[in-house]
Amino acid sequence: MFTAAFTYADDDDRHVREAAIAACIPLLDDPLLLHRRATLASLVRQVLGTSELWQHRERAIDALDAWGEDSSGIEGQRNAFLFCDTDMSPDSSPWRAGGSEGSSEEPPF
């Protein structure tokens, strides 16, 4: 699996590169692949560490820290639960239940 995912680590599409590198991270816990961490650490830092997605940046920090690598300079999400911790009222959500919108049919179960 590692070889298949790592093939896309230098893809021209940044989203593909990020997904490939993120997929490789947990695979490197296999004792047979530990020697590949040094190679992947620089990619994790350069690609995931600079991603527009805070989830990839957090993943980079977690992986580099777990591997004993330097993760300084990577800006993580300051509050990963910011949305959950907001004081939004349930009525302001676009997903609120009820009302006359949507289907009026009973579910088939």
Side-chain angles (χ1 to χ4, degrees), residues 7-8 13 20 32-33 46 50 63 69 76 79 81 83 89 93 98-99:
T7 301
Y8 296 96
D13 184 329
L32 298 174
L33 296 174
Q46 293 168 3
T50 60
E69 298 283 339
N79 183 356
F81 299 102
F83 181 78
S89 72
S93 172

Side-chain angles (χ1 to χ4, degrees), residues 8-106:
Y8 296 96
D10 64 351
D11 195 89
D12 292 335
D13 184 329
R14 182 169 178 101
H15 295 293
V16 172
R17 270 195 321 272
E18 290 175 352
I21 294 166
C24 288
I25 291 172
L27 300 175
L28 295 181
D29 287 337
D30 184 323
L32 298 174
L33 296 174
L34 291 177
H35 67 281
R36 304 288 290 236
R37 283 185 177 174
T39 303
L40 197 65
S42 63
L43 289 173
V44 168
R45 189 177 299 102
Q46 293 168 3
V47 178
L48 294 186
T50 60
S51 175
E52 292 180 5
L53 298 175
W54 68 265
Q55 294 92 337
H56 283 314
R57 293 191 311 271
E58 287 289 332
R59 186 70 174 124
I61 292 168
D62 291 345
L64 293 171
D65 288 349
W67 298 344
E69 298 283 339
D70 180 27
S71 66
S72 63
I74 300 175
E75 184 179 332
Q77 178 75 3
R78 290 194 176 96
N79 183 356
F81 299 102
L82 183 62
F83 181 78
C84 298
D85 293 340
T86 62
D87 292 331
M88 289 176 43
S89 72
D91 293 334
S92 66
S93 172
W95 302 103
R96 69 174 191 256
S100 60
E101 299 175 18
S103 176
S104 61
E105 296 178 19
E106 290 295 316

